[in-house]
Amino acid sequence: MFAHFKDKKFIIIIILILTIPLWLMLFNYISDFLIQTGRITGTYIRVIGNTKC
């Protein structure tokens, strides 16, 4: 039974290693989205701040 558990652990590690490119693409997409959202939000804040002064 212990050997069976080690096999599952090994398979999970292999799956994680094989899916690293997918995780990196997902992380890149999320970080780009957050950066663009911050730029758009900052622009709106500047526009609103300049019109009230």
Side-chain angles (χ1 to χ4, degrees), residues 18-37:
L18 290 177
T19 58
I20 283 175
L22 296 174
W23 292 110
L24 290 176
M25 286 184 351
L26 184 66
F27 178 72
N28 187 24
Y29 177 76
I30 291 171
S31 62
D32 284 344
F33 176 77
L34 291 175
I35 290 170
Q36 291 299 326
T37 304

Side-chain angles (χ1 to χ4, degrees), residues 8-25:
K8 278 187 180 179
K9 202 174 197 181
F10 182 72
I11 290 172
I12 290 172
I13 290 172
I14 293 296
I15 290 172
L16 286 175
I17 290 172
L18 290 177
T19 58
I20 283 175
L22 296 174
W23 292 110
L24 290 176
M25 286 184 351

Side-chain angles (χ1 to χ4, degrees), residues 32-49:
D32 284 344
F33 176 77
L34 291 175
I35 290 170
Q36 291 299 326
T37 304
R39 287 181 181 169
I40 293 169
T41 305
T43 301
Y44 283 137
I45 289 172
R46 273 186 255 124
V47 167
I48 292 171

